[in-house]
Amino acid sequence: MVGIVDYGAGNLRSVQKALEAIGERALISGEAAVLDGCERLILPGVGSFGAGMAELRARGLDRYVLDRVGAGTKLLGICLGMQFLLEESYEDGVWKGLGIVPGRVVRFTEGKIPQIGWNRVFRLRTPLFDGIAEDSRFYFVHSYRADCADAYAAAMTDYFVDYPSAVWSGSAYGVQFHPEKSGAAGLRLLQNFCRL
C-alpha cells in the first residue's frame, strides 16, 4: 500500500489514479494512524513553499515524514513535495524545509517563468530511473528549482541552466516534474518507486 500524504495540497487524486493504473493500491490521508499502515509514502504538492510547509507543520506531518524516513520508509516527493525535502526555500522570503536533502530552493533567473511543459531529463541516477531512457521527457510546472550538491542529484534538466530535477538522500527521493502527468515514462518511474 502506498500512502499519499494529505496536508491540504491539490493534485492528490491524480497521483492516486496513476498508481492505480500501474496496479498499486494507494490511499490518501493526513492521519498518521492511517499512513502507518502504508509501506511507502508519496508527498505531493502544488502551490507556494511557505504555505505548504505551514500546513504540513500545523498537522504534525513534517515530524511524521521525518520519523518515517529516519526509520527507512521509502518516500517520493513530487514537485513542491520534492522542494520540501531540501533545507530551505527562498520563495517569498526564507522558509525552512524538512532538511532531508542538503540544499536550497531558488527562483529561476532566466527564461519564461514558470517553466510549463515537457522537458528532457538526463544524467539519470538511482533505481528510480531503471528502464527509462536518457533524455526522456517529463511534464514540469514550476518557478523555483533545487540547488544542491551533485551527490544528491538523481537527474538533471536544462532550463537556461542545468539543475537537479530529481534528488535523493537515503530512502527519500524527489522529482520536480509530475510523473502522474508524464505518460509512459512517468508511470515507469512510479513503478520503479514502488519496487525500490
PDB file of all heavy atoms in Angstrom, residues 130-162:
ATOM      1  N   ASP A 130      15.333   3.239 -13.523  1.00  0.00           N
ATOM      2  CA  ASP A 130      15.589   1.985 -14.238  1.00  0.00           C
ATOM      3  C   ASP A 130      14.607   1.845 -15.403  1.00  0.00           C
ATOM      4  O   ASP A 130      13.393   2.043 -15.239  1.00  0.00           O
ATOM      5  CB  ASP A 130      15.430   0.788 -13.298  1.00  0.00           C
ATOM      6  CG  ASP A 130      16.631   0.592 -12.385  1.00  0.00           C
ATOM      7  OD1 ASP A 130      17.629   1.336 -12.545  1.00  0.00           O
ATOM      8  OD2 ASP A 130      16.569  -0.280 -11.504  1.00  0.00           O
ATOM      9  N   GLY A 131      15.148   1.493 -16.573  1.00  0.00           N
ATOM     10  CA  GLY A 131      14.297   1.270 -17.736  1.00  0.00           C
ATOM     11  C   GLY A 131      13.790   2.537 -18.401  1.00  0.00           C
ATOM     12  O   GLY A 131      12.992   2.470 -19.341  1.00  0.00           O
ATOM     13  N   ILE A 132      14.225   3.690 -17.934  1.00  0.00           N
ATOM     14  CA  ILE A 132      13.825   4.976 -18.518  1.00  0.00           C
ATOM     15  C   ILE A 132      15.014   5.511 -19.316  1.00  0.00           C
ATOM     16  O   ILE A 132      16.126   5.624 -18.791  1.00  0.00           O
ATOM     17  CB  ILE A 132      13.396   5.973 -17.436  1.00  0.00           C
ATOM     18  CG1 ILE A 132      12.150   5.442 -16.703  1.00  0.00           C
ATOM     19  CG2 ILE A 132      13.115   7.351 -18.038  1.00  0.00           C
ATOM     20  CD1 ILE A 132      11.736   6.270 -15.507  1.00  0.00           C
ATOM     21  N   ALA A 133      14.786   5.838 -20.569  1.00  0.00           N
ATOM     22  CA  ALA A 133      15.866   6.257 -21.452  1.00  0.00           C
ATOM     23  C   ALA A 133      16.397   7.632 -21.078  1.00  0.00           C
ATOM     24  O   ALA A 133      15.645   8.514 -20.640  1.00  0.00           O
ATOM     25  CB  ALA A 133      15.378   6.268 -22.902  1.00  0.00           C
ATOM     26  N   GLU A 134      17.702   7.793 -21.249  1.00  0.00           N
ATOM     27  CA  GLU A 134      18.330   9.102 -21.091  1.00  0.00           C
ATOM     28  C   GLU A 134      17.621  10.102 -22.015  1.00  0.00           C
ATOM     29  O   GLU A 134      17.251   9.774 -23.137  1.00  0.00           O
ATOM     30  CB  GLU A 134      19.806   8.980 -21.473  1.00  0.00           C
ATOM     31  CG  GLU A 134      20.654  10.145 -21.092  1.00  0.00           C
ATOM     32  CD  GLU A 134      21.041  10.176 -19.619  1.00  0.00           C
ATOM     33  OE1 GLU A 134      20.853   9.168 -18.908  1.00  0.00           O
ATOM     34  OE2 GLU A 134      21.527  11.226 -19.175  1.00  0.00           O
ATOM     35  N   ASP A 135      17.405  11.302 -21.535  1.00  0.00           N
ATOM     36  CA  ASP A 135      16.730  12.366 -22.285  1.00  0.00           C
ATOM     37  C   ASP A 135      15.231  12.139 -22.457  1.00  0.00           C
ATOM     38  O   ASP A 135      14.608  12.773 -23.306  1.00  0.00           O
ATOM     39  CB  ASP A 135      17.386  12.603 -23.655  1.00  0.00           C
ATOM     40  CG  ASP A 135      18.786  13.187 -23.534  1.00  0.00           C
ATOM     41  OD1 ASP A 135      19.000  14.030 -22.643  1.00  0.00           O
ATOM     42  OD2 ASP A 135      19.661  12.793 -24.318  1.00  0.00           O
ATOM     43  N   SER A 136      14.657  11.248 -21.664  1.00  0.00           N
ATOM     44  CA  SER A 136      13.194  11.117 -21.676  1.00  0.00           C
ATOM     45  C   SER A 136      12.569  12.431 -21.234  1.00  0.00           C
ATOM     46  O   SER A 136      13.181  13.200 -20.484  1.00  0.00           O
ATOM     47  CB  SER A 136      12.748   9.996 -20.736  1.00  0.00           C
ATOM     48  OG  SER A 136      13.087   8.736 -21.271  1.00  0.00           O
ATOM     49  N   ARG A 137      11.352  12.675 -21.689  1.00  0.00           N
ATOM     50  CA  ARG A 137      10.688  13.950 -21.407  1.00  0.00           C
ATOM     51  C   ARG A 137       9.606  13.754 -20.346  1.00  0.00           C
ATOM     52  O   ARG A 137       8.848  12.785 -20.383  1.00  0.00           O
ATOM     53  CB  ARG A 137      10.113  14.546 -22.687  1.00  0.00           C
ATOM     54  CG  ARG A 137      11.232  14.911 -23.675  1.00  0.00           C
ATOM     55  CD  ARG A 137      10.710  15.354 -25.017  1.00  0.00           C
ATOM     56  NE  ARG A 137      10.078  16.663 -24.966  1.00  0.00           N
ATOM     57  CZ  ARG A 137      10.725  17.813 -24.992  1.00  0.00           C
ATOM     58  NH1 ARG A 137      12.039  17.831 -25.043  1.00  0.00           N
ATOM     59  NH2 ARG A 137      10.082  18.951 -24.965  1.00  0.00           N
ATOM     60  N   PHE A 138       9.563  14.706 -19.415  1.00  0.00           N
ATOM     61  CA  PHE A 138       8.587  14.709 -18.331  1.00  0.00           C
ATOM     62  C   PHE A 138       7.912  16.081 -18.289  1.00  0.00           C
ATOM     63  O   PHE A 138       8.425  17.051 -18.839  1.00  0.00           O
ATOM     64  CB  PHE A 138       9.261  14.415 -16.990  1.00  0.00           C
ATOM     65  CG  PHE A 138       9.777  13.009 -16.862  1.00  0.00           C
ATOM     66  CD1 PHE A 138      11.022  12.645 -17.369  1.00  0.00           C
ATOM     67  CD2 PHE A 138       9.015  12.037 -16.230  1.00  0.00           C
ATOM     68  CE1 PHE A 138      11.494  11.355 -17.246  1.00  0.00           C
ATOM     69  CE2 PHE A 138       9.476  10.738 -16.102  1.00  0.00           C
ATOM     70  CZ  PHE A 138      10.726  10.394 -16.612  1.00  0.00           C
ATOM     71  N   TYR A 139       6.785  16.144 -17.594  1.00  0.00           N
ATOM     72  CA  TYR A 139       5.983  17.376 -17.566  1.00  0.00           C
ATOM     73  C   TYR A 139       6.291  18.206 -16.316  1.00  0.00           C
ATOM     74  O   TYR A 139       6.194  17.707 -15.191  1.00  0.00           O
ATOM     75  CB  TYR A 139       4.496  17.040 -17.608  1.00  0.00           C
ATOM     76  CG  TYR A 139       3.639  18.268 -17.780  1.00  0.00           C
ATOM     77  CD1 TYR A 139       3.494  18.866 -19.029  1.00  0.00           C
ATOM     78  CD2 TYR A 139       2.997  18.845 -16.688  1.00  0.00           C
ATOM     79  CE1 TYR A 139       2.724  20.012 -19.193  1.00  0.00           C
ATOM     80  CE2 TYR A 139       2.230  19.991 -16.844  1.00  0.00           C
ATOM     81  CZ  TYR A 139       2.100  20.562 -18.101  1.00  0.00           C
ATOM     82  OH  TYR A 139       1.348  21.691 -18.247  1.00  0.00           O
ATOM     83  N   PHE A 140       6.630  19.472 -16.528  1.00  0.00           N
ATOM     84  CA  PHE A 140       7.035  20.380 -15.453  1.00  0.00           C
ATOM     85  C   PHE A 140       6.087  21.569 -15.345  1.00  0.00           C
ATOM     86  O   PHE A 140       5.581  22.075 -16.353  1.00  0.00           O
ATOM     87  CB  PHE A 140       8.429  20.961 -15.743  1.00  0.00           C
ATOM     88  CG  PHE A 140       9.565  19.995 -15.659  1.00  0.00           C
ATOM     89  CD1 PHE A 140       9.854  19.144 -16.716  1.00  0.00           C
ATOM     90  CD2 PHE A 140      10.377  19.949 -14.536  1.00  0.00           C
ATOM     91  CE1 PHE A 140      10.934  18.268 -16.658  1.00  0.00           C
ATOM     92  CE2 PHE A 140      11.441  19.084 -14.454  1.00  0.00           C
ATOM     93  CZ  PHE A 140      11.730  18.243 -15.524  1.00  0.00           C
ATOM     94  N   VAL A 141       5.891  22.046 -14.120  1.00  0.00           N
ATOM     95  CA  VAL A 141       5.238  23.337 -13.845  1.00  0.00           C
ATOM     96  C   VAL A 141       5.891  23.890 -12.585  1.00  0.00           C
ATOM     97  O   VAL A 141       5.575  23.459 -11.475  1.00  0.00           O
ATOM     98  CB  VAL A 141       3.719  23.210 -13.607  1.00  0.00           C
ATOM     99  CG1 VAL A 141       3.107  24.593 -13.396  1.00  0.00           C
ATOM    100  CG2 VAL A 141       3.021  22.511 -14.756  1.00  0.00           C
ATOM    101  N   HIS A 142       6.827  24.860 -12.730  1.00  0.00           N
ATOM    102  CA  HIS A 142       7.468  25.409 -11.536  1.00  0.00           C
ATOM    103  C   HIS A 142       8.258  26.663 -11.857  1.00  0.00           C
ATOM    104  O   HIS A 142       8.741  26.851 -12.972  1.00  0.00           O
ATOM    105  CB  HIS A 142       8.378  24.361 -10.870  1.00  0.00           C
ATOM    106  CG  HIS A 142       9.544  23.919 -11.706  1.00  0.00           C
ATOM    107  ND1 HIS A 142      10.850  24.061 -11.287  1.00  0.00           N
ATOM    108  CD2 HIS A 142       9.617  23.350 -12.934  1.00  0.00           C
ATOM    109  CE1 HIS A 142      11.669  23.572 -12.209  1.00  0.00           C
ATOM    110  NE2 HIS A 142      10.947  23.152 -13.227  1.00  0.00           N
ATOM    111  N   SER A 143       8.398  27.510 -10.825  1.00  0.00           N
ATOM    112  CA  SER A 143       9.180  28.743 -10.929  1.00  0.00           C
ATOM    113  C   SER A 143      10.462  28.679 -10.113  1.00  0.00           C
ATOM    114  O   SER A 143      11.347  29.509 -10.279  1.00  0.00           O
ATOM    115  CB  SER A 143       8.348  29.936 -10.429  1.00  0.00           C
ATOM    116  OG  SER A 143       7.188  30.089 -11.203  1.00  0.00           O
ATOM    117  N   TYR A 144      10.532  27.711  -9.219  1.00  0.00           N
ATOM    118  CA  TYR A 144      11.685  27.547  -8.333  1.00  0.00           C
ATOM    119  C   TYR A 144      12.299  26.175  -8.574  1.00  0.00           C
ATOM    120  O   TYR A 144      11.614  25.240  -8.996  1.00  0.00           O
ATOM    121  CB  TYR A 144      11.267  27.698  -6.859  1.00  0.00           C
ATOM    122  CG  TYR A 144      10.915  29.128  -6.513  1.00  0.00           C
ATOM    123  CD1 TYR A 144       9.696  29.682  -6.899  1.00  0.00           C
ATOM    124  CD2 TYR A 144      11.824  29.944  -5.833  1.00  0.00           C
ATOM    125  CE1 TYR A 144       9.381  31.002  -6.604  1.00  0.00           C
ATOM    126  CE2 TYR A 144      11.516  31.255  -5.537  1.00  0.00           C
ATOM    127  CZ  TYR A 144      10.300  31.784  -5.921  1.00  0.00           C
ATOM    128  OH  TYR A 144      10.009  33.089  -5.641  1.00  0.00           O
ATOM    129  N   ARG A 145      13.588  26.064  -8.285  1.00  0.00           N
ATOM    130  CA  ARG A 145      14.321  24.839  -8.586  1.00  0.00           C
ATOM    131  C   ARG A 145      15.258  24.482  -7.444  1.00  0.00           C
ATOM    132  O   ARG A 145      15.616  25.332  -6.617  1.00  0.00           O
ATOM    133  CB  ARG A 145      15.122  25.022  -9.874  1.00  0.00           C
ATOM    134  CG  ARG A 145      16.183  26.109  -9.761  1.00  0.00           C
ATOM    135  CD  ARG A 145      17.073  26.178 -10.984  1.00  0.00           C
ATOM    136  NE  ARG A 145      18.082  27.231 -10.872  1.00  0.00           N
ATOM    137  CZ  ARG A 145      19.240  27.114 -10.248  1.00  0.00           C
ATOM    138  NH1 ARG A 145      19.554  25.979  -9.631  1.00  0.00           N
ATOM    139  NH2 ARG A 145      20.101  28.112 -10.207  1.00  0.00           N
ATOM    140  N   ALA A 146      15.678  23.243  -7.425  1.00  0.00           N
ATOM    141  CA  ALA A 146      16.637  22.786  -6.421  1.00  0.00           C
ATOM    142  C   ALA A 146      18.035  23.267  -6.751  1.00  0.00           C
ATOM    143  O   ALA A 146      18.436  23.346  -7.914  1.00  0.00           O
ATOM    144  CB  ALA A 146      16.625  21.262  -6.347  1.00  0.00           C
ATOM    145  N   ASP A 147      18.782  23.595  -5.721  1.00  0.00           N
ATOM    146  CA  ASP A 147      20.198  23.946  -5.814  1.00  0.00           C
ATOM    147  C   ASP A 147      20.902  23.125  -4.742  1.00  0.00           C
ATOM    148  O   ASP A 147      20.830  23.460  -3.557  1.00  0.00           O
ATOM    149  CB  ASP A 147      20.380  25.450  -5.589  1.00  0.00           C
ATOM    150  CG  ASP A 147      21.846  25.880  -5.614  1.00  0.00           C
ATOM    151  OD1 ASP A 147      22.672  25.120  -6.152  1.00  0.00           O
ATOM    152  OD2 ASP A 147      22.149  26.964  -5.085  1.00  0.00           O
ATOM    153  N   CYS A 148      21.515  22.034  -5.161  1.00  0.00           N
ATOM    154  CA  CYS A 148      22.149  21.136  -4.183  1.00  0.00           C
ATOM    155  C   CYS A 148      23.408  20.531  -4.788  1.00  0.00           C
ATOM    156  O   CYS A 148      23.650  20.622  -5.993  1.00  0.00           O
ATOM    157  CB  CYS A 148      21.179  20.044  -3.747  1.00  0.00           C
ATOM    158  SG  CYS A 148      20.692  18.892  -5.045  1.00  0.00           S
ATOM    159  N   ALA A 149      24.199  19.912  -3.939  1.00  0.00           N
ATOM    160  CA  ALA A 149      25.440  19.289  -4.389  1.00  0.00           C
ATOM    161  C   ALA A 149      25.153  18.148  -5.352  1.00  0.00           C
ATOM    162  O   ALA A 149      24.111  17.481  -5.275  1.00  0.00           O
ATOM    163  CB  ALA A 149      26.225  18.764  -3.182  1.00  0.00           C
ATOM    164  N   ASP A 150      26.084  17.922  -6.254  1.00  0.00           N
ATOM    165  CA  ASP A 150      25.931  16.889  -7.276  1.00  0.00           C
ATOM    166  C   ASP A 150      25.650  15.517  -6.670  1.00  0.00           C
ATOM    167  O   ASP A 150      24.933  14.711  -7.263  1.00  0.00           O
ATOM    168  CB  ASP A 150      27.205  16.840  -8.126  1.00  0.00           C
ATOM    169  CG  ASP A 150      27.081  15.885  -9.289  1.00  0.00           C
ATOM    170  OD1 ASP A 150      26.290  16.157 -10.207  1.00  0.00           O
ATOM    171  OD2 ASP A 150      27.772  14.847  -9.275  1.00  0.00           O
ATOM    172  N   ALA A 151      26.178  15.255  -5.508  1.00  0.00           N
ATOM    173  CA  ALA A 151      25.995  13.945  -4.878  1.00  0.00           C
ATOM    174  C   ALA A 151      24.529  13.632  -4.602  1.00  0.00           C
ATOM    175  O   ALA A 151      24.151  12.454  -4.490  1.00  0.00           O
ATOM    176  CB  ALA A 151      26.780  13.884  -3.575  1.00  0.00           C
ATOM    177  N   TYR A 152      23.690  14.646  -4.491  1.00  0.00           N
ATOM    178  CA  TYR A 152      22.274  14.452  -4.176  1.00  0.00           C
ATOM    179  C   TYR A 152      21.375  14.582  -5.407  1.00  0.00           C
ATOM    180  O   TYR A 152      20.155  14.472  -5.288  1.00  0.00           O
ATOM    181  CB  TYR A 152      21.831  15.456  -3.118  1.00  0.00           C
ATOM    182  CG  TYR A 152      22.601  15.308  -1.829  1.00  0.00           C
ATOM    183  CD1 TYR A 152      23.660  16.153  -1.521  1.00  0.00           C
ATOM    184  CD2 TYR A 152      22.298  14.279  -0.939  1.00  0.00           C
ATOM    185  CE1 TYR A 152      24.382  16.001  -0.354  1.00  0.00           C
ATOM    186  CE2 TYR A 152      23.024  14.112   0.234  1.00  0.00           C
ATOM    187  CZ  TYR A 152      24.067  14.976   0.514  1.00  0.00           C
ATOM    188  OH  TYR A 152      24.796  14.815   1.668  1.00  0.00           O
ATOM    189  N   ALA A 153      21.973  14.802  -6.569  1.00  0.00           N
ATOM    190  CA  ALA A 153      21.203  14.949  -7.803  1.00  0.00           C
ATOM    191  C   ALA A 153      20.987  13.580  -8.441  1.00  0.00           C
ATOM    192  O   ALA A 153      21.936  12.914  -8.838  1.00  0.00           O
ATOM    193  CB  ALA A 153      21.924  15.878  -8.767  1.00  0.00           C
ATOM    194  N   ALA A 154      19.728  13.159  -8.538  1.00  0.00           N
ATOM    195  CA  ALA A 154      19.397  11.874  -9.160  1.00  0.00           C
ATOM    196  C   ALA A 154      19.157  12.017 -10.651  1.00  0.00           C
ATOM    197  O   ALA A 154      19.155  11.026 -11.379  1.00  0.00           O
ATOM    198  CB  ALA A 154      18.163  11.270  -8.484  1.00  0.00           C
ATOM    199  N   ALA A 155      18.923  13.244 -11.118  1.00  0.00           N
ATOM    200  CA  ALA A 155      18.739  13.527 -12.546  1.00  0.00           C
ATOM    201  C   ALA A 155      18.842  15.033 -12.735  1.00  0.00           C
ATOM    202  O   ALA A 155      18.694  15.806 -11.778  1.00  0.00           O
ATOM    203  CB  ALA A 155      17.394  13.023 -13.042  1.00  0.00           C
ATOM    204  N   MET A 156      19.083  15.430 -13.977  1.00  0.00           N
ATOM    205  CA  MET A 156      19.249  16.851 -14.301  1.00  0.00           C
ATOM    206  C   MET A 156      18.304  17.250 -15.431  1.00  0.00           C
ATOM    207  O   MET A 156      17.870  16.412 -16.222  1.00  0.00           O
ATOM    208  CB  MET A 156      20.684  17.132 -14.731  1.00  0.00           C
ATOM    209  CG  MET A 156      21.759  16.787 -13.722  1.00  0.00           C
ATOM    210  SD  MET A 156      21.722  17.825 -12.237  1.00  0.00           S
ATOM    211  CE  MET A 156      22.336  19.375 -12.921  1.00  0.00           C
ATOM    212  N   THR A 157      18.016  18.542 -15.508  1.00  0.00           N
ATOM    213  CA  THR A 157      17.232  19.125 -16.593  1.00  0.00           C
ATOM    214  C   THR A 157      17.852  20.473 -16.936  1.00  0.00           C
ATOM    215  O   THR A 157      18.433  21.130 -16.070  1.00  0.00           O
ATOM    216  CB  THR A 157      15.753  19.284 -16.180  1.00  0.00           C
ATOM    217  OG1 THR A 157      15.193  17.981 -16.008  1.00  0.00           O
ATOM    218  CG2 THR A 157      14.941  20.036 -17.222  1.00  0.00           C
ATOM    219  N   ASP A 158      17.714  20.868 -18.194  1.00  0.00           N
ATOM    220  CA  ASP A 158      18.241  22.152 -18.648  1.00  0.00           C
ATOM    221  C   ASP A 158      17.083  23.108 -18.941  1.00  0.00           C
ATOM    222  O   ASP A 158      16.282  22.844 -19.836  1.00  0.00           O
ATOM    223  CB  ASP A 158      19.088  21.947 -19.905  1.00  0.00           C
ATOM    224  CG  ASP A 158      19.560  23.258 -20.523  1.00  0.00           C
ATOM    225  OD1 ASP A 158      19.601  24.273 -19.797  1.00  0.00           O
ATOM    226  OD2 ASP A 158      19.871  23.268 -21.723  1.00  0.00           O
ATOM    227  N   TYR A 159      16.995  24.167 -18.160  1.00  0.00           N
ATOM    228  CA  TYR A 159      16.085  25.266 -18.471  1.00  0.00           C
ATOM    229  C   TYR A 159      16.872  26.553 -18.249  1.00  0.00           C
ATOM    230  O   TYR A 159      16.865  27.109 -17.153  1.00  0.00           O
ATOM    231  CB  TYR A 159      14.825  25.210 -17.602  1.00  0.00           C
ATOM    232  CG  TYR A 159      13.750  26.189 -18.054  1.00  0.00           C
ATOM    233  CD1 TYR A 159      13.063  25.989 -19.247  1.00  0.00           C
ATOM    234  CD2 TYR A 159      13.449  27.319 -17.293  1.00  0.00           C
ATOM    235  CE1 TYR A 159      12.094  26.886 -19.672  1.00  0.00           C
ATOM    236  CE2 TYR A 159      12.477  28.219 -17.713  1.00  0.00           C
ATOM    237  CZ  TYR A 159      11.806  27.997 -18.899  1.00  0.00           C
ATOM    238  OH  TYR A 159      10.840  28.895 -19.327  1.00  0.00           O
ATOM    239  N   PHE A 160      17.645  26.939 -19.261  1.00  0.00           N
ATOM    240  CA  PHE A 160      18.575  28.069 -19.213  1.00  0.00           C
ATOM    241  C   PHE A 160      19.749  27.823 -18.275  1.00  0.00           C
ATOM    242  O   PHE A 160      20.747  28.512 -18.343  1.00  0.00           O
ATOM    243  CB  PHE A 160      17.849  29.372 -18.870  1.00  0.00           C
ATOM    244  CG  PHE A 160      16.876  29.787 -19.934  1.00  0.00           C
ATOM    245  CD1 PHE A 160      15.577  29.328 -19.914  1.00  0.00           C
ATOM    246  CD2 PHE A 160      17.281  30.610 -20.968  1.00  0.00           C
ATOM    247  CE1 PHE A 160      14.674  29.688 -20.907  1.00  0.00           C
ATOM    248  CE2 PHE A 160      16.394  30.979 -21.964  1.00  0.00           C
ATOM    249  CZ  PHE A 160      15.088  30.523 -21.940  1.00  0.00           C
ATOM    250  N   VAL A 161      19.609  26.874 -17.387  1.00  0.00           N
ATOM    251  CA  VAL A 161      20.692  26.427 -16.515  1.00  0.00           C
ATOM    252  C   VAL A 161      20.440  24.951 -16.217  1.00  0.00           C
ATOM    253  O   VAL A 161      19.286  24.513 -16.153  1.00  0.00           O
ATOM    254  CB  VAL A 161      20.721  27.260 -15.202  1.00  0.00           C
ATOM    255  CG1 VAL A 161      19.440  27.084 -14.403  1.00  0.00           C
ATOM    256  CG2 VAL A 161      21.918  26.903 -14.350  1.00  0.00           C
ATOM    257  N   ASP A 162      21.494  24.168 -16.096  1.00  0.00           N
ATOM    258  CA  ASP A 162      21.328  22.773 -15.678  1.00  0.00           C
ATOM    259  C   ASP A 162      21.034  22.753 -14.185  1.00  0.00           C
ATOM    260  O   ASP A 162      21.766  23.359 -13.399  1.00  0.00           O
ATOM    261  CB  ASP A 162      22.602  21.971 -15.961  1.00  0.00           C
ATOM    262  CG  ASP A 162      22.788  21.668 -17.441  1.00  0.00           C
ATOM    263  OD1 ASP A 162      21.909  22.019 -18.239  1.00  0.00           O
ATOM    264  OD2 ASP A 162      23.839  21.093 -17.785  1.00  0.00           O
TER     265      ASP A 162
END
